[in-house]
Structure formats: structure tokens, C-alpha cells
């Protein structure tokens, strides 16, 4: 079969679409003929060698949707022909609060989704929402799940509350916007330019601030009236700009470190507001089911920026690196 393959960590330019052995499902696994996969930042970090527990060579990708085409021994609850979307994690473990030490994602160290076939435990299958194309469904898993858990499980967002979403052009952030609007929250955003803020307003945000404007911190309170939940994948430049505009009892959920790893916290900003700062990592299988049920109920559509055929998967990765602006980059197979 063909797959997006990485032999040595020589940067995103070193990936290639090539022939690899077609997998056969082990006991308890199913084989899925992938119809579409989507890209995330980790598919840029892995070729740069910036990913824990690297095992090379590798096939890349953790997001995928397709059709079950072969069952391993002992599999129940799935049949050949099922249209599915894949839970992107493996070995979450028994606790809802935190993943086990063995937790990982498809596509490192194990095989990835940007391939004609992948074998996964049957528990990783969820029905593809019927109103979605394979491309739309493939754009859901990692960013949708990360966003859902940050906003709903960790952030405990309630209808009528005010949420601030940082860096609205990103995959996690755009899902957060869609979820929060459908949940009945008042949604405000920051973005890198006026165009992404306009896009967000079209999706239901009330207003936004350009984070490249030097004084945006002064505008957060007048714009929002006070924030109950923040989801932030870039706290290094952003945290200090909104923390004085949070309401008592606010939940600030950090899910990424785009634009820098360190940020300064003023203790009084947190304890005098009884605020909570939380970290959030992907999501468990229950979050995945809850999120898909919500997506199905509200018929939430994925924002796809561009699709590429598998033969151009390397170009898709370079597009994510150099040109990506708003929504997901998808590879069709
Ligand atoms: N916790 C987890 O399990 C988990 C899972 C998936 C991803 N992540 C992390 O989450 C982050 C975003 O992932 P993604 O897939 O959504 O990425 P993405 O689609 O490429 O988006 C990049 C994000 O960074 C924002 N950004 C860049 N520079 C910024 C700045 N100076 N100030 C504020 N925001 C800035 C962008 O905002 P604009 O578009 O407005 O520029 C955008 O939201 C990454 O760090 C990724 O590693 C974490």
C-alpha cells in the first residue's frame, strides 16, 4: 500500500509517499481502508525529530476516517463495510482525569493514518457522523477531541458563560468556537489578523481582538465584560493579556505551547479571583463519544482549508508548515 513515510528525521521536506507493507489485523483489531486523513502540527514535529519516543521509520498521521475492510480474530461490534472515524489515541487507561503512562497517538510510535490502510483496536472505531463526508470526518479527531475536553470536561463551560478562545485560526480553536456557540456560550476570540477574526464572527463569535496589536490587553474587559473560561494554545504571549479580565471562578485551560513554552503568572491574579489554571491533553474515549454525539446533534461542520490527494501528501505537509491560515488540511486517499 502507499503511505506517507518518514525514514530519517530530516525535516518535513524529507517525508515521501512510498510503498510499504499492507498491514493485517491482529486479534482484537480491525483493518480500515482510509478514505481521508488530516494533518496536525505533530506531523511537522516528528520529521524534525521533536517528538518524544521517536521510532523510525514511521508512517505519519493520527486523524483518519474510512471503511472497515478486514476483521482480526475475536472482533465483535464491527463489520466489514462500516463507515468509521478513528479515536486518535491508544492505551488511555482507566482514569478519566489523566491518561496512563502508555498513552500515545496513532502515527508514532505505531503506524499512522496517512496511508491506504491502518489496523487499530476495534475500540478505536466510532461511527462516522452520517451528515459528514469522509474528508469532514477525518478533520475531527485530534483537534476536535482536544478542544472538546479543554472546553467541556476541563473548562466545564456552561450555557450563558463567556469564553475567550486564543488564536482562532487554529484547528483546536475553531472547534472550540463551534462547540461553544452551539452550547449557548458568549464567544470572543483573538486572532493573528482581521480576516481570521471576521471568519470567526461569521461562525458565531461576538467579537475579536488582533493579538498583534500591542495594546490588546486593555480591550479584553471592555469587549467581553469578564471571561469565565479561556482556552489557550499559546499562553506565552497571551496569558498576561487576558488574565486581568477573568471573572471570579474562571477556568483557564492551557492545551498547547505554540509561540513559546514559558509564561509568567502573577499569583494574586489567580487566587484573588479563585481562578483555576488547568492543562489538558487530547481526550479519553468517553470525551470522543461525547464530542461526536454533540457534533451529530448540532450538525457541526468541519472547517477544511484545503485538501490534497495522497500522492501530494508531502505538499500538504509543507502547506501546513508555510501557508496554513484557517481550518484543517486534509489528505484524501
Ligand atoms: N493538548 C493536546 O493534547 C494537543 C492536541 C493537539 C494540538 N495541541 C497543540 O495545540 C496547539 C494548536 O494546535 P492546532 O492544531 O490548533 O494548530 P494550528 O491549527 O496550526 O494553529 C496554530 C495556533 O496557534 C495560534 N498562534 C500562533 N501564534 C500565536 C500567538 N502569537 N498568539 C496567540 N496564538 C497564536 C494560532 O492562532 P491564529 O490562527 O489566530 O494565528 C492557532 O490557533 C499546538 O501547540 C499543538 O501542539 C495540543
Amino acid at each position: 500500500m502507499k503511505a506517507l513515510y518518514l525514514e530519517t528525521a530530516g525535516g518535513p521536506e524529507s517525508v515521501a509517499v512510498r510503498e510499504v507493507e499492507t498491514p493485517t489485523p491482529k486479534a482484537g483489531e480491525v483493518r480500515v481502508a482510509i478514505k481521508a486523513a488530516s494533518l496536525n502540527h505533530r506531523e511537522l514535529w516528528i520529521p524534525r525529530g521533536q517528538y518524544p519516543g521517536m521510532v523510525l521509520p514511521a508512517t505519519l498521521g493520527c486523524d483518519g476516517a474510512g471503511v472497515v475492510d478486514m476483521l482480526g480474530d475475536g472482533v465483535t461490534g464491527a463489520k466489514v463495510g462500516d463507515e468509521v472515524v478513528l479515536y486518535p489515541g491508544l492505551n488511555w487507561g482507566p482514569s478519566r482525569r489523566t491518561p496512563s503512562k502508555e498513552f500515545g497517538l496513532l502515527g508514532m510510535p505505531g503506524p499512522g493514518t496517512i496511508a491506504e490502510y491502518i489496523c487499530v483496536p476495534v475500540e478505536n472505531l466510532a461511527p462516522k457522523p452520517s451528515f459528514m463526508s469522509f474528508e469532514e470526518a477525518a478533520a475531527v479527531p485530534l483537534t476536535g477531541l482536544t478542544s472538546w475536553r479543554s472546553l467541556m470536561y476541563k473548562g466545564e463551560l456552561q450555557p450563558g458563560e463567556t469564553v475567550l478562545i486564543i488564536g482562532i485560526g487554529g484547528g483546536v480553536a475553531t472547534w472550540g468556537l463551534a462547540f461553544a456557540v452551539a452550547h449557548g456560550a458568549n464567544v470572543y476570540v483573538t486572532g493573528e489578523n482581521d480576516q481570521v477574526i471576521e471568519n470567526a464572527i461569521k461562525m458565531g463569535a461576538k467579537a475579536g481582538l488582533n493579538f498583534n496589536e500591542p495594546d490588546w490587553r486593555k480591550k479584553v474587559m471592555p469587549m467581553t465584560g469578564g471571561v469565565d473560561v479561556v482556552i489557550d494554545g499559546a499562553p506565552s504571549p497571551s496569558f498576561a493579556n487576558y488574565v486581568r479580565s477573568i471573572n471570579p471562578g474562571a477556568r483557564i485551560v492551557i492545551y498547547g505551547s505554540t509561540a513559546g513554552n514559558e509564561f509568567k503568572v502573577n499569583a494574586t491574579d489567580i487566587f484573588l479571583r479563585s481562578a483555576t489554571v488547568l492543562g489538558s491533553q487530547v481526550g479519553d474515549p468517553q470525551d470522543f463519544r461525547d464530542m461526536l454525539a454533540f457534533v451529530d446533534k448540532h450538525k457541526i461542520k468541519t472547517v477544511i482549508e484545503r485538501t490534497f490527494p495522497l500522492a501530494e501528501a508531502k505538499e500538504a505537509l509543507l502547506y501546513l508548515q508555510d501557508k496554513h491560515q484557517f481550518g484543517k488540511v486534509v489528505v484524501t486517499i
Side-chain angles (χ1 to χ4, degrees), residues 2 4 16-17 114 308-316 331-333:
K2 289 194 167 51
L4 186 62
V17 176
I114 309 170
F308 293 78
L310 178 59
E312 293 170 22
K314 175 175 173 175
E315 286 70 25
V331 174
T332 54
I333 295 160

Side-chain angles (χ1 to χ4, degrees), residues 74-94:
V75 166
T76 55
K79 60 182 189 316
V80 170
D82 285 350
E83 297 189 348
V84 295
V85 55
L86 303 182
Y87 173 65
L90 292 168
N91 309 313
W92 178 278

Side-chain angles (χ1 to χ4, degrees), residues 32 34 36 62-68 82-88 106 120 122-129 132-134 136-142 288 291-292:
V32 176
I34 296 287
C62 66
D63 283 351
V67 178
V68 173
D82 285 350
E83 297 189 348
V84 295
V85 55
L86 303 182
Y87 173 65
L106 302 175
V120 293
V122 65
E123 294 80 18
N124 279 58
L125 304 185
K128 176 177 78 66
M132 281 186 170
S133 65
F134 284 106
E136 288 166 339
V140 176
L142 183 65
F288 196 59
M291 174 198 58
L292 288 174

Side-chain angles (χ1 to χ4, degrees), residues 146-190:
T146 303
S147 188
W148 177 266
R149 184 170 174 91
S150 298
L151 206 55
M152 302 300 189
Y153 182 77
K154 296 277 185 164
E156 299 182 63
L157 181 68
Q158 305 300 315
E161 286 193 316
T162 294
V163 58
L164 178 66
I165 302 179
I166 301 301
I168 196 56
V172 178
T174 38
W175 275 113
L177 171 58
F179 294 149
V181 168
H183 200 51
N186 305 307
V187 188
Y188 296 89
V189 304
T190 71

